[in-house]
Amino acid sequence: MCRPYQTSPPPIMSPPAAVSPPQHAAELATPASKLAVKGVNSNKTTTTIDDMLGQWDTFRFAPIRESQVSRAMTRRYFQDLDTYAESDIVIIGAGSCGLSAAYVLGKTRPDLKIAIIEASVSPGGGAWLGGQLFSAMVMRKPADAFLREVGVPYEDEGNYVVVKHAALFTSTIMSKVLAMPNIKLFNATCVEDLITRQALDEGEGVRITGVVTNWTLVSMHHDDQSCMDPNTINAPLVISTTGHDGPMGAFSVKRLVSMQRIEKLGGMRGLDMNTAEDAIVKGTREIVPGLIVGGMELSEVDGANRMGPTFGAMALSGLKAAEEALKVWDIRAKQTAQ
């Protein structure tokens, strides 16, 4: 029997010990936090790096059973799937734009549940390297303000700044986002479709109320395997940052065209940094009710220029997407509850 729709799922409670699966005797050993490395200051309950150095002949890890590893991973993951099946905001794409949006939203509204869906195994999009596999990241001012906000050092070159390696930016913001208790990243997972409802205002067509998800590897094999149905996440608001057109790029806006919600895409124009970056930040907005588009995906809608290996617009488009989301979230949440 279907459960009635809920805008806020009941809190997840830890199951009582009585309903836990039977444990093997080996799993009832002393907790790992009380174990010391054998032969290394065995009277201490907390081992330091200095304790281990020079003691490798007697070194041993704390004992563990393989099933404990499996349960530690799966228990948490399926609890996350349950918790975030009803989210407040879903962000599609964990590139520099999506991560920047998540950072601002998570910091500003710690009460909101934010799910990030990333198709790749490794989040970060194109921001692990600069252009043509060169490592430095260039950001035009005033995007340096965001680098100072998240604590990424840079060299000031006048009108632009240079981060010594793009991975320093990506790993820094990712670590801050993933440390936030109200944000969950589901990577190696792709969005296969958008959940829609009829718009409440006449003439608006449909509104977006969530995403349809699947393992990325499953999605890649729909043509050569039998039907593999997807999963779903409901949310009053979706922020799409899937990048410019490609195998999985510009996904949401291409889907809007196929569902006849917008007539056609403008198509990304040639490279013009000065025009492109301003246009992307200024154009970041709610395209249809419930769907905000940012980053290079927006260039496919508006026919904006390509920007190439400069990343300021990606970060600031994320900030603008978060700002736009906060403007309309209460409205969309109320509509979803109706």
Side-chain angles (χ1 to χ4, degrees):
M1 183 176 66
C2 295
R3 295 183 179 180
Y5 179 79
Q6 295 176 314
T7 56
S8 298
I12 306 296
M13 303 298 292
S14 299
V19 300
S20 298
Q23 290 181 299
H24 189 281
E27 293 189 70
L28 302 176
T30 306
S33 60
K34 300 291 183 67
L35 291 169
V37 178
K38 184 177 180 180
V40 180
N41 293 331
S42 57
N43 292 327
K44 297 179 65 175
T45 57
T46 303
T47 301
T48 67
I49 294 294
D50 287 341
D51 292 333
M52 290 186 281
L53 295 177
Q55 304 293 326
W56 302 114
D57 289 344
T58 55
F59 172 85
R60 288 189 66 188
F61 281 106
I64 197 168
R65 191 168 173 79
E66 289 78 4
S67 60
Q68 288 179 290
V69 176
S70 295
R71 286 172 174 163
M73 293 186 298
T74 56
R75 182 187 304 123
R76 286 164 176 78
Y77 195 86
F78 283 103
Q79 182 173 341
D80 286 335
L81 285 176
D82 185 272
T83 300
Y84 286 88
E86 282 280 355
S87 293
D88 294 309
I89 297 177
V90 171
I91 298 174
I92 310 174
S96 47
C97 181
L99 290 172
S100 298
Y103 173 83
V104 175
L105 288 169
K107 182 178 179 181
T108 307
R109 290 290 302 270
D111 57 309
L112 297 181
K113 285 191 301 182
I114 302 165
I116 308 174
I117 311 298
E118 168 56 45
S120 176
V121 172
S122 56
W128 286 112
L129 289 169
Q132 199 171 320
L133 304 184
F134 303 141
S135 57
M137 170 179 275
V138 176
M139 282 195 177
R140 294 164 60 203
K141 292 181 177 179
D144 56 318
F146 189 65
L147 296 178
R148 291 191 295 274
E149 163 70 21
V150 296
V152 175
Y154 57 81
E155 301 170 22
D156 194 320
E157 298 286 351
N159 287 340
Y160 63 94
V161 300
V162 181
V163 179
K164 68 178 182 179
H165 201 298
L168 178 59
F169 167 78
T170 306
S171 57
T172 299
I173 188 171
M174 194 181 302
S175 67
K176 292 182 180 296
V177 166
L178 295 184
M180 294 181 180
N182 59 323
I183 296 179
K184 171 62 183 179
L185 168 67
F186 296 95
N187 52 316
T189 305
C190 73
V191 171
E192 287 193 339
D193 206 349
L194 302 171
I195 300 175
T196 63
R197 297 285 189 273
Q198 285 299 121
L200 299 178
D201 296 330
E202 188 175 350
E204 283 195 340
V206 299
R207 54 194 169 92
I208 308 305
T209 59
V211 295
V212 179
T213 63
N214 215 327
W215 307 123
T216 300
L217 291 176
V218 170
S219 294
M220 292 171 64
H221 288 279
H222 281 318
D223 291 338
D224 55 47
Q225 296 292 327
S226 61
C227 178
M228 293 170 279
D229 283 332
N231 205 350
T232 58
I233 298 177
N234 283 102
L237 198 57
V238 174
I239 299 175
S240 189
T241 65
T242 67
H244 55 71
D245 196 8
M248 294 183 180
F251 172 81
S252 295
V253 296
K254 287 190 290 189
R255 187 67 181 97
L256 291 181
V257 173
S258 65
M259 68 172 68
Q260 299 181 338
R261 187 57 188 83
I262 58 178
E263 183 179 353
K264 63 179 181 179
L265 299 182
M268 186 172 61
R269 302 293 194 264
L271 192 149
D272 182 342
M273 289 183 181
N274 290 291
T275 300
E277 289 207 282
D278 291 351
I280 292 300
V281 176
K282 291 178 180 178
T284 299
R285 66 193 185 279
E286 190 177 35
I287 299 292
V288 300
L291 179 69
I292 293 170
V293 177
M296 292 307 294
E297 184 170 3
L298 192 67
S299 67
E300 300 289 352
V301 181
D302 293 344
N305 290 90
R306 182 177 181 176
M307 65 190 60
T310 176
F311 291 84
M314 295 297 93
L316 297 192
S317 178
L319 269 63
K320 176 89 180 298
E323 183 180 39
E324 294 297 308
L326 295 175
K327 286 180 183 177
V328 301
W329 189 85
D330 289 331
I331 297 172
R332 299 301 171 226
K334 187 179 296 185
Q335 291 174 337
T336 301
Q338 294 178 5

